[in-house]
Amino acid sequence: MATFSNNVVTHGLSGMLGDIIVFRQKNGKTYLSSKPTKSHHGPTEAQLNQQQKFQEAVIYAQAVISNPEKLEPYAAKTKDGASPFNVALADFLQAPKIKEIDVSAYNGQAGSTIRIRAVDDFQVAEVAVRIEDTEGALLENGMAVPQENKLDWIYTTNTSRESAQGQKIVIRASDVPGHLTESVQQV
């Protein structure tokens, strides 16, 4: 695709020339490309799934901008000309990520801690922790507490066991739209 800026001949051109060339304007520049072609086969399953996900994101963003209480945090995160609608749309399309589970301070005793680093493009809403024994039975569960750095969450255990060895730590992080991401750490 060719780009022209400050060209007397192409300045402001937009549309199709003949049946071959297309001129487009973006940010004060003229772009030249070949005519787009239509696909002769339908969308793939992956494309249909992505279209469905995007449609759900649009519905979510519309609901956000129609509710002043939900709109406020998204409006506060706008930058570079983005609208609260764009921020909400992007938030819906991106699930939270669990970057790290630090069990170095967990020894199986009440009061020991597990640190979770969870991130999201907008905001991690909550982080739930589940501790299971070697057989998969629930030992304890609860919510981690967000830290001041807005990256880390701390879960403090409230029951004691002889050892933490072999236990499974299941972490579930969720964001404002309600997407869940799960990660498992063996102790």
Side-chain angles (χ1 to χ4, degrees):
M1 177 185 303
T3 305
F4 303 98
S5 57
N6 298 328
N7 186 310
V8 176
V9 176
T10 62
H11 181 73
L13 276 179
S14 176
M16 192 164 3
L17 178 63
D19 200 24
I20 302 172
I21 300 172
V22 176
F23 292 92
R24 291 188 174 94
Q25 295 291 318
K26 186 171 182 181
N27 297 328
K29 291 184 179 181
T30 304
Y31 292 86
L32 173 69
S33 64
S34 59
K35 175 186 168 186
T37 59
K38 287 191 174 185
S39 174
H40 297 294
H41 51 79
T44 66
E45 184 73 27
Q47 289 170 327
L48 290 172
N49 289 339
Q50 187 61 33
Q51 288 172 6
Q52 176 67 34
K53 186 175 179 180
F54 191 79
Q55 182 180 23
E56 291 169 4
V58 168
I59 292 167
Y60 175 78
Q62 288 171 337
V64 164
I65 63 170
S66 67
N67 181 332
E69 193 174 294
K70 290 183 179 180
L71 176 64
E72 188 179 328
Y74 285 103
K77 288 271 194 164
T78 59
K79 59 182 174 183
D80 298 329
S83 68
F85 180 90
N86 298 126
V87 177
L89 185 80
D91 184 30
F92 187 89
L93 293 171
Q94 183 71 41
K97 292 178 178 58
I98 299 169
K99 296 287 191 177
E100 182 182 356
I101 302 171
D102 180 7
V103 294
S104 61
Y106 176 58
N107 58 14
Q109 299 302 305
S112 59
T113 59
I114 299 168
R115 184 182 59 80
I116 302 103
R117 175 150 294 181
V119 297
D120 187 59
D121 63 327
F122 181 69
Q123 174 186 339
V124 175
E126 61 183 26
V127 175
V129 178
R130 176 182 172 94
I131 302 174
E132 300 174 357
D133 67 12
T134 55
E135 309 296 317
L138 176 66
L139 296 173
E140 75 175 86
N141 63 353
M143 304 306 289
V145 177
Q147 302 303 293
E148 278 189 42
N149 67 5
K150 301 199 188 263
L151 292 170
D152 295 327
W153 296 69
I154 301 292
Y155 178 74
T156 305
T157 59
N158 35 21
T159 58
S160 291
R161 292 165 246 0
E162 286 184 30
S163 169
Q165 194 67 24
Q167 293 176 0
K168 182 166 68 169
I169 312 293
V170 180
I171 307 296
R172 298 182 93 196
S174 65
D175 62 2
V176 175
H179 297 108
L180 288 174
T181 300
E182 184 173 286
S183 185
V184 178
Q185 174 81 32
Q186 286 292 135
V187 180

